[in-house]
Amino acid sequence: MYQATLSRRSYRFSDLRQLMAKASPARSGDYLAEVAADSAEERMAARIALAEVPLKTFLQQLLVPYEQDEVTRLIIDSHDVLAFAPISHLTVGDFRDWLLSEQADSLMLTRVAAGITPEMAAAVSKLMRNQDLILVAKKCRVITRFRNTIGLPGHLSVRLQPNHPTDSLQGIAASMLDGLLYGSGDAVVGINPASDSLPLLEKLNYMLDDVIQRFAIPTQSCVLTHVTNTLRLIERGAPVDLVFQSIAGTEAANSGFGINLALLAEAQQAALSLNRGTLGHNVMYFETGQGSCLSSNAHHGVDQQTCEARTYAVARHFSPLLINTVVGFIGPEYLYDGKQIIRAGLEDHFCGKLLGLPLGCDVCYTNHAEADQDDMDTLLTLLATAGLTFLIGVPGADDIMLNYQSTSFHDALYIRELLGLKHAPEFADWLTKMHITDDLGRLRDTAANHPLLLALQGEQP
């Protein structure tokens, strides 16, 4: 039992699960799950009580039972006691103060990351203002490598997302070359296919690999199909760079995706066996989003933001090159408006970085949400200030296959110019060599005989 008194009224919370949910900022998904605070006063009382909870409590009072959930078992069994030692004496409130202090510099945050559980990260985020989430995330350093170096301070990468509603190879190629000419694609060139046809998926892999190899682009490709399809593609000898999978924060939700930890481990080993990375061996790419556990009725009464943080334990186990929260994609049933989407994006980025992950964000919303592109501009600017690893680049910010609104190649140009953010260094060198950018990294005019344009026309450069 947890309790706090506010305005001469005593509030009681039956267990840690309820306390966490009641302390969460208001969002439609938690109201849908009937776990949210009934009033702003109850929410504040829950935060007061949560601030007094020792961090060690999260290792003893498990929100999802150990016996029922392999994600919980992963969190507990992989907990690094030595990494936890410098903060083991703190309460959640003390942890917030420590994270904001000068003592918690980038080196120290890297040292303690393996000792922080997702529930600890989620708990402290509930006590933080937006500026706190930004400031702490900015101090976290997470660097990954495959064919280039992602996550360096002062850098921002872009996933080039050239989706097409009929998986037209020519349409995808046009969008891909468009993005490259705008300087996008250093995170990954990643296609969400409309079809699960294995022969088509194979063609997509070969097309991406052909462009990357022909022009010696220091980046990686990914066809974002189910992990079982990727395993079959690897068996067929397709040129697979990264293995993709959507993941969630409970075993039951992952089962709804048709996956478990053993399957992800098998896929990781299969990708590693291809040895296609030139600089590193981070071969996994994960996507997540608040509300996935609730939408499959697999949340165990846990609030959606804490479920999302638990997802990061799954990702951390497999050392991904990239992971991003597709923050507004799941819809207004879970994040109702721009305010909720902005807060969720900052929470997800903070928790992921605190846990040692290369967290990016698909700054996005669906057309039936109470949000617009101005909200996305705000979130993009805040996340980039907080040290976002990568964002999404979609032609015109409108994904015509997935039918949602994201960020464009132009948005990436805006945020780079505003904050002086650089491409991955190897990709930046390639852009200069290809006369796409000048020596200062600024975009150049593209001549009609540029090799990439000639390639699109089917001509030899």
Side-chain angles (χ1 to χ4, degrees), residues 78-88 95 98-99 103-117 139-142 316 353-356:
S78 64
H79 183 249
D80 190 326
V81 176
L82 291 179
F84 182 56
I87 57 173
S88 61
F95 188 34
W98 181 82
L99 287 171
Q103 181 183 354
D105 58 15
S106 297
L107 181 61
M108 177 59 76
L109 290 174
T110 299
R111 284 179 53 195
V112 302
I116 302 171
T117 69
K139 296 193 286 185
C140 297
R141 299 281 183 263
V142 184
R316 181 166 64 176
K353 284 293 183 65
L354 193 62
L355 293 168

Side-chain angles (χ1 to χ4, degrees), residues 239-314:
V240 172
D241 287 344
L242 305 183
V243 174
F244 166 79
Q245 184 56 49
S246 295
I247 57 174
T250 68
E251 179 179 347
N254 283 324
S255 295
F257 285 142
I259 62 167
N260 55 36
L261 298 179
L263 179 60
L264 294 177
E266 179 185 354
Q268 182 186 35
Q269 290 306 309
L272 287 170
S273 72
L274 300 179
N275 198 31
R276 291 177 58 81
T278 56
L279 293 184
H281 303 288
N282 300 112
V283 296
M284 305 298 281
Y285 174 21
F286 297 120
E287 287 190 345
T288 72
Q290 289 193 28
S292 58
C293 290
L294 175 58
S295 67
S296 58
N297 195 29
H299 58 104
H300 296 270
V302 177
D303 67 271
Q304 69 179 37
Q305 189 257 331
T306 301
C307 284
E308 171 70 6
R310 285 171 52 90
T311 307
Y312 303 151
V314 177

Side-chain angles (χ1 to χ4, degrees), residues 397-408:
D398 184 6
D399 192 304
I400 57 175
M401 195 285 281
L402 292 173
N403 195 30
Y404 78 117
Q405 309 304 311
S406 184
T407 45
S408 70

Side-chain angles (χ1 to χ4, degrees), residues 3 7 27 94 106 114 144 224 229 294 312 327 377 399 442:
Q3 64 181 38
S7 300
R27 64 204 59 201
D94 293 334
S106 297
T144 57
L224 281 69
N229 288 332
L294 175 58
Y312 303 151
V327 65
D377 288 348
D399 192 304
R442 297 173 301 197

